[in-house]
């Protein structure tokens, strides 16, 4: 009489093709171990490297396994976005002034501050804000959600567990003195295991010059000078600086601030956004022939 509850071995025998590949892969990895079991992570790393070199493990699998092993050794401070690079929203600003920031940065979540940037009062979801785009009288404060604060020494595996349990995707990082140190997102954490996660906005991130009209452009300050020269048919010197933001700071002789402008070879460069350290976004406009003749031109 046949066994009504066959063992796994019986199932494997009934489907030899299905189990053969997995079993042989495990056997090949075990073969690398020989009679010695790994004693620490360095031994495991050596075994994985050997398996990868012999094409037992493909590139993606190897990266994920190695990433998973090193994952538990990392703290939030190792991967967080520093405070200087955080895109924040000022709760005192009207909706019309917040929307350009939301659209330009293309983030889904924004820390919100009141009066000073160290005073973060919560998180605003872009989808919540965009629902009220046709109602500029909306009280933005009513849309702000509580922020999750974590120490910069928190382990990534603990943070990932917290994100999953709380269904939260962003956390504000504080240092040992209680000041804002940066922020970290669920995507930042997962990328430590699976590598870079690209979405529709990451593809556009390679594009740093955005035409508005035939004579005006919105330009990221990190744009390579050579790229800008080719696109706008201008001759900004490329010897001393790599980015248009660095060049503009030198031309202005100070850290660019919002509203600063500088004319060069028939183009007007105006700072749209800046932080305490550098320009972030520029508006570039080609001046008319008459205006250009009166503008300051350098070669």
């Amino acid at each position: 009489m046949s066994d009504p509850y066959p063992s796994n071995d019986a199932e494997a025998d009934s489907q030899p093709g299905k189990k053969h590949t997995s079993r042989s892969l495990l056997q090949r990895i075990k073969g690398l171990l020989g009679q010695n079991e790994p004693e620490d992570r360095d031994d495991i790393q050596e075994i994985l490297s050997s398996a990868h070199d012999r094409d037992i493990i493909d590139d993606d699998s190897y990266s994920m396994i190695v990433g998973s092993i090193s994952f538990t050794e990392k703290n939030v401070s190792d991967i967080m976005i520093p405070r200087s690079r955080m895109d924040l929203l000022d709760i005192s600003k009207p909706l019309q002034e917040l929307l350009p920031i939301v659209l330009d940065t293309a983030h889904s979540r924004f820390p919100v501050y009141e009066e000073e940037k160290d005073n973060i009062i919560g998180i605003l979801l872009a989808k919540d804000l965009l629902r009220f785009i046709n109602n500029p009288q909306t009280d933005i404060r009513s849309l702000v959600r509580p922020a999750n604060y974590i120490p910069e020494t928190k382990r990534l595996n603990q943070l990932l567990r917290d994100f999953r349990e709380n269904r939260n995707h962003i956390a504000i990082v504080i240092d040992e003195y209680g000041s804002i140190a940066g922020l970290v997102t669920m995507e930042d954490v997962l990328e430590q295991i699976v590598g870079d996660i690209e979405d529709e906005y990451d593809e556009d991130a390679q594009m740093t010059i955005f035409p508005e009209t035939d004579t005006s452009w919105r330009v990221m300050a990190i744009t390579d000078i050579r790229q800008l020269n080719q696109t706008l048919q201008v001759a900004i010197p490329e010897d001393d600086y790599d980015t248009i933001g660095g060049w503009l700071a030198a031309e202005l002789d100070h850290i660019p601030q919002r509203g600063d402008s500088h004319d060069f070879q028939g183009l007007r460069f105006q700072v749209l956004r800046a932080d305490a350290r550098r320009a972030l976004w520029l508006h570039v406009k080609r001046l008319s022939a008459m205006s250009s003749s009166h503008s300051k031109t350098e070669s």
Side-chain angles (χ1 to χ4, degrees), residues 196 198-210 220 222-224 227 281:
D196 290 340
E198 296 186 356
D199 56 25
E200 64 272 24
Y201 298 114
D202 291 329
E203 182 178 353
D204 290 339
Q206 303 304 316
M207 181 177 178
T208 59
I209 302 175
F210 302 86
M220 296 179 68
I222 60 171
T223 300
D224 185 80
Q227 178 187 359
W281 282 90

Side-chain angles (χ1 to χ4, degrees), residues 69-293:
I69 293 174
S70 61
F71 180 73
T72 57
E73 299 177 339
K74 293 182 179 180
N75 295 330
V76 169
S77 60
D78 295 324
I79 69 166
M80 70 179 184
I81 298 168
R83 181 182 181 277
S84 61
R85 292 178 51 202
M86 290 170 57
D87 292 311
L88 307 175
L89 298 181
D90 185 349
I91 191 67
S92 66
K93 300 292 184 182
L95 181 61
Q96 297 92 325
E97 293 187 29
L98 297 180
L99 283 176
I101 300 176
V102 173
L103 296 175
D104 285 344
T105 58
H107 299 316
S108 59
R109 295 168 176 81
F110 293 84
V112 179
Y113 71 93
E114 185 171 25
E115 295 183 356
E116 57 183 28
K117 292 186 176 181
D118 272 333
N119 183 31
I120 293 180
I121 61 174
I123 303 295
L124 181 64
L125 273 60
K127 66 178 183 180
D128 290 343
L129 186 63
L130 295 177
R131 288 174 185 168
F132 296 91
I133 191 171
N134 293 323
N135 185 9
Q137 303 305 319
T138 299
D139 181 10
I140 303 300
R141 195 179 296 271
S142 65
L143 306 178
V144 175
R145 307 187 182 201
N148 178 29
Y149 296 91
I150 61 172
E152 57 185 353
T153 55
K154 193 180 189 73
R155 294 281 188 176
L156 293 190
N157 58 330
Q158 297 173 338
L159 177 60
L160 180 58
R161 183 166 56 250
D162 290 347
F163 275 156
R164 295 174 60 187
E165 292 177 353
N166 301 329
R167 302 181 65 183
N168 200 349
H169 288 189
I170 187 172
I172 304 300
V173 184
I174 57 176
D175 61 22
E176 59 182 314
Y177 304 105
S179 300
I180 303 299
L183 66 80
V184 64
T185 67
M186 171 78 87
E187 181 176 321
D188 297 327
V189 176
L190 293 178
E191 283 183 343
Q192 301 305 306
I193 300 176
V194 301
D196 290 340
I197 300 174
E198 296 186 356
D199 56 25
E200 64 272 24
Y201 298 114
D202 291 329
E203 182 178 353
D204 290 339
Q206 303 304 316
M207 181 177 178
T208 59
I209 302 175
F210 302 86
E212 292 183 337
T213 67
D214 291 340
T215 59
S216 64
W217 301 262
R218 185 177 290 252
V219 179
M220 296 179 68
I222 60 171
T223 300
D224 185 80
I225 292 178
R226 180 174 301 178
Q227 178 187 359
L228 188 79
N229 284 341
Q230 293 174 349
T231 303
L232 275 58
Q233 297 299 303
V234 68
I236 296 174
E238 303 176 14
D239 296 335
D240 297 328
Y241 302 96
D242 296 324
T243 67
I244 189 64
W247 168 81
L248 182 60
E251 292 292 298
L252 294 172
D253 198 26
H254 63 255
I255 297 175
Q257 300 176 356
R258 182 176 180 180
D260 284 348
S261 66
H262 178 69
D263 294 350
F264 183 86
Q265 293 187 354
L267 295 173
R268 175 160 295 163
F269 297 81
Q270 184 174 11
V271 180
L272 294 179
R273 291 189 58 212
D275 61 20
R277 299 171 57 191
R278 62 192 182 280
L280 300 175
W281 282 90
L282 309 176
H283 184 264
V284 183
K285 181 178 181 180
R286 194 176 300 281
L287 303 174
S288 64
M290 183 175 296
S291 299
S292 178
S293 64

Side-chain angles (χ1 to χ4, degrees), residues 19-61:
K19 294 289 185 179
H20 176 72
T21 301
S22 298
R23 181 178 296 175
S24 61
L25 174 59
L26 291 174
Q27 289 174 344
R28 291 169 67 186
I29 294 178
K30 287 181 179 179
L32 295 173
L33 296 174
Q35 300 298 321
N36 300 320
E37 294 184 358
E39 296 182 355
D40 52 33
R41 295 194 178 193
D42 290 338
D43 289 347
I44 295 176
Q45 177 67 55
E46 184 177 348
I47 293 167
L48 291 172
S49 298
S50 179
H52 180 238
D53 293 341
R54 301 186 189 188
D55 294 327
I56 298 175
I57 302 177
D58 61 30
D59 292 341
D60 291 337
S61 299

